[in-house]
Structures are given as C-alpha cells and as structure tokens.
Amino acid sequence: MSADKHHQIWIEQCEAARTIRERFGLEAAFDYVVGEKLMNFASAARDHPAFARELPRFISEVRRMYSADEIRTHLARLEREQAERDAETRDSDEDELLDESPAMAAERVRQFATIKELLTADMLGTS
C-alpha cells in the first residue's frame, strides 16, 4: 500500500465522520472516527511505519473537527463506557470465545490513554 493510500484512508474516514455528524449527531460521529477508526489506525501504526507516519496528521484533523470541550467530554464517555463493559465482562460467569486476553486488554487501555493524551494536549509539537 502506498503512502498516498495511508493518507487517503484517514481523509476518507474524517469525511465520513462529518457526514455522520450531520445525519446522526456528534456522539455517533465521534464514536466512529475516534472510538473506531483512530483506534484502529493507531493499532496499525504499531506495526506499520506508513500508518505511524500518518497518525499525527489524523490526530491533528480530529482536533480540528471537534472543540477541546467536545473531545474531553466524549473521551470521558468512551472511557466510562469501556470501564462498564470491562466490569460486566469480569462479573460474567460465561466463558466467551471472544474475550480479550489480559495482555490485549492492557494494550487497548494503553493505546486509548495515548490517543487521549494526544487529543487533549494543549499543543502538539514536532521533533
């Protein structure tokens, strides 16, 4: 996949989020672009340098799409909802094939914390 393709992926996802916001509201759009697409992109960036190179641009575009208050509010909601799901999973006696391993759960939490930090930082810098 060319670098141009990696760039195009997040551009299209941000455009889709704008359409979702118009049709279904801010929460649905934020869940799509941050809770799903940005998290998946960041996960891919761990193993693929081309995704890693595009991740700062994706983060910057999300920061342009939402106000700082919207970002903080919806990140807190996503975090709360995930904590509730995690608690339900721990309390469940059912063995499910799709359960996350403790290592996978820890990586998901770490990744979310990194995304949260990048989206809420006062300023993004370059090195």
Side-chain angles (χ1 to χ4, degrees):
M1 188 179 287
S2 72
D4 218 26
K5 293 255 186 203
H6 295 90
H7 179 78
Q8 196 60 35
I9 289 170
W10 67 261
I11 294 288
E12 290 174 2
Q13 291 170 340
C14 289
E15 289 172 0
R18 288 181 183 92
T19 300
I20 291 167
R21 186 173 183 161
E22 290 172 11
R23 297 178 83 193
F24 302 104
L26 183 136
E27 186 174 311
F30 193 89
D31 289 356
Y32 168 81
V33 77
V34 174
E36 182 182 338
K37 299 306 182 183
L38 183 55
M39 292 296 290
N40 290 341
F41 204 93
S43 182
R46 272 194 330 258
D47 300 320
H48 303 283
F51 281 100
R53 282 189 296 276
E54 288 297 321
L55 186 59
R57 292 182 191 118
F58 194 173
I59 295 280
S60 292
E61 185 60 22
V62 170
R63 288 171 56 110
R64 278 191 285 281
M65 292 170 60
Y66 300 95
S67 72
D69 285 341
E70 289 170 336
I71 290 171
R72 280 190 298 277
T73 298
H74 289 282
L75 285 173
R77 178 184 53 79
L78 287 175
E79 203 166 22
R80 187 175 53 253
E81 289 172 355
Q82 186 61 51
E84 290 168 2
R85 282 191 298 275
D86 290 348
E88 288 173 8
T89 300
R90 281 191 305 272
D91 293 342
S92 175
D93 290 335
E94 298 174 25
D95 290 330
E96 295 183 20
L97 295 175
L98 299 176
D99 281 350
E100 282 182 309
S101 70
M104 288 172 59
E107 177 59 22
R108 176 181 39 81
V109 169
R110 185 203 61 75
Q111 184 177 327
F112 183 84
T114 300
I115 294 298
K116 179 179 177 180
E117 184 178 331
L118 291 169
L119 287 174
T120 59
D122 288 337
M123 287 186 2
L124 292 177
T126 59
S127 54

